[in-house]
Amino acid sequence: MGIFQRLSDILKSNVNDLIDRAEDPEKMVKQIIIDMQKELNNSTQALGKAVASERIAKKQYDQAAAKSADWESKAKAAIAAGDEELAKKALANKVKADKDTAQYKEMYDTISQQTETIRTQVEVLKSKLEEAKSRQAMLIARSQMADTQKALANATGGFDSSSASEKFSRMEEKIERKEAEAQAFAVIVPDADAKQPLARRGGKKVQAQRL
């Protein structure tokens, strides 16, 4: 019963709903396929046993029906031969064989229906398993893409563009102040030659004339 209950649960379940509710769809898809494959193996084994039971029931039914037909034939032969006592015994055995035949027929029909139900469920499970396998790559790719998009969104959301702009503005102001200070220093500090006393400059001029 455990195998059939789990098989029924899987057959009734909606794979997409299971994936949508999963925290990790990629792991869920892989696990669903593993579970389906396991149940398919168990169900296939159960189907094999059911088919074997069906064949045994069919053989018992056929044997009981053949025995009933045989006793009927013997009863007719005894009547034809005028052997009333033998005919009665043959008919009594036929009645018993008919009861056995009816019981084996009922058992065979029940096992046959159960076997057909299991066979149908196994075929449905095979179909779902093949569908899950064919969609596995696509679902995993979609899950990974969603994770990537989420990571990018988180990274972009954590970046403060206004703060970065303020930092650049402050840096630019510092550079402009340095440039202004350099220009002011160049204006305030006289040329090195202009700093020398007039007398010294004159002495240099006289020496140059003597030469």
Side-chain angles (χ1 to χ4, degrees):
M1 288 298 294
I3 292 176
F4 301 132
Q5 183 59 50
R6 290 195 299 271
L7 177 58
S8 178
D9 291 342
I10 292 176
L11 294 177
K12 291 177 182 177
S13 66
N14 187 310
V15 174
N16 290 327
D17 288 345
L18 291 175
I19 294 170
D20 290 341
R21 294 197 303 268
E23 293 181 3
D24 191 335
E26 185 174 343
K27 287 184 179 179
M28 174 58 81
V29 172
K30 291 179 180 179
Q31 190 59 48
I32 287 175
I33 290 177
I34 291 174
D35 291 343
M36 280 186 169
Q37 187 63 63
K38 181 179 178 181
E39 293 308 323
L40 177 59
N41 293 340
N42 292 337
S43 301
T44 301
Q45 291 178 2
L47 177 60
K49 292 179 180 179
V51 170
S53 297
E54 181 184 19
R55 289 176 179 173
I56 292 173
K58 180 65 165 60
K59 183 178 180 181
Q60 290 174 334
Y61 164 64
D62 289 341
Q63 287 176 344
K67 190 176 290 186
S68 173
D70 183 55
W71 282 117
E72 182 179 357
S73 177
K74 287 180 179 179
K76 288 179 179 180
I79 292 173
D83 192 340
E84 185 177 346
E85 190 63 27
L86 183 60
K88 286 181 180 180
K89 289 181 179 180
L91 289 173
N93 287 330
K94 180 184 183 309
V95 170
K96 183 179 180 302
D98 287 344
K99 289 180 179 179
D100 291 341
T101 301
Q103 290 177 351
Y104 284 125
K105 177 68 165 59
E106 183 179 357
M107 182 174 65
Y108 168 68
D109 289 342
T110 300
I111 293 176
S112 240
Q113 291 174 1
Q114 292 175 346
T115 302
E116 189 59 32
T117 299
I118 297 173
R119 184 180 286 108
T120 300
Q121 290 178 336
V122 168
E123 291 303 318
V124 172
L125 184 55
K126 282 182 180 179
S127 177
K128 280 201 169 189
L129 178 59
E130 290 304 317
E131 179 185 359
K133 285 181 177 180
S134 65
R135 297 180 61 190
Q136 180 181 18
M138 179 188 68
L139 291 171
I140 291 177
R142 286 174 58 188
S143 174
Q144 292 175 345
M145 179 61 70
D147 290 341
T148 302
Q149 291 174 345
K150 183 178 179 180
L152 289 174
N154 289 336
T156 304
F159 179 74
D160 190 348
S161 59
S162 60
S163 175
S165 178
E166 290 176 1
K167 289 179 182 179
F168 276 109
S169 296
R170 287 197 297 270
M171 188 179 298
E172 188 176 3
E173 289 175 1
K174 282 185 178 182
I175 294 173
E176 288 177 351
R177 280 199 299 271
K178 285 184 178 182
E179 290 175 345
E181 289 173 0
Q183 292 174 358
F185 186 78
V187 172
I188 294 172
V189 178
D191 186 70
D193 188 54
K195 282 179 151 185
Q196 297 179 359
L198 292 174
R200 188 176 179 184
R201 282 187 289 169
K204 288 183 179 180
K205 188 174 181 181
V206 172
Q207 289 178 359
Q209 288 176 353
R210 289 178 180 176
L211 292 173

